[in-house]
Amino acid sequence: QVQLVESGGGSVQSGGSLRLSCAVSGLTSSQYCMGWFRQAPGKERERVASIRKNGGTTYADFVKGRFTISQDNAKNMLYLQMNSLVAEDTAIYYCAAAVWCVFQSVGEYAFWGRGTQVTVSS
């Protein structure tokens, strides 16, 4: 049974930092495309960052230079370091896994966690 469990969310002030973690079980994360997505109230779920099977990373334009995705293959963990947070980053953040992620779209990701809330106050 595949499980992805996010943690590390919380409330911070604008300019602050948070580190999200995703504990993966039931699959080997290094053999999948792993991603972080977010969904704000009233908005569609959007990709934040992803890491391919070869270790290559890609980011949405709105987080470039502020967020860093990484993984620990030995621990089967995925991380998202978020710096210089702004109010617009407020959302539920989800960890997800895909067999293939050619288009980096939500639909390509078959496995999802339940999410962790991030709230940034200005």
Side-chain angles (χ1 to χ4, degrees):
Q1 181 181 0
V2 176
Q3 282 193 317
L4 288 73
V5 180
E6 303 92 340
S7 62
S11 297
V12 295
Q13 290 191 331
S14 181
S17 299
L18 283 173
R19 188 193 193 205
L20 305 184
S21 299
C22 175
V24 182
S25 59
L27 61 84
T28 302
S29 60
S30 61
Q31 297 177 1
Y32 286 74
C33 184
M34 301 298 298
W36 285 100
F37 291 75
R38 71 184 188 185
Q39 189 165 17
K43 295 187 177 181
E44 292 187 353
R45 191 168 299 189
E46 59 185 358
R47 187 184 71 93
V48 174
S50 56
I51 186 165
R52 294 190 175 92
K53 300 175 188 179
N54 64 5
T57 57
T58 59
Y59 297 90
D61 287 343
F62 53 78
V63 302
K64 281 183 180 177
R66 300 190 298 127
F67 292 9
T68 303
I69 187 172
S70 62
Q71 64 184 152
D72 185 329
N73 293 334
K75 296 181 179 179
N76 221 22
M77 295 286 294
L78 184 72
Y79 303 100
L80 184 69
Q81 177 66 43
M82 304 187 296
N83 298 327
S84 302
L85 286 161
V86 297
E88 291 74 21
D89 294 320
T90 296
I92 299 174
Y93 284 71
Y94 299 90
C95 169
V99 175
W100 300 106
C101 55
V102 176
F103 302 106
Q104 300 293 348
S105 64
V106 171
E108 290 182 301
Y109 287 77
F111 305 102
W112 293 85
R114 293 187 175 184
T116 185
Q117 177 71 48
V118 171
T119 303
V120 184
S121 58
S122 56

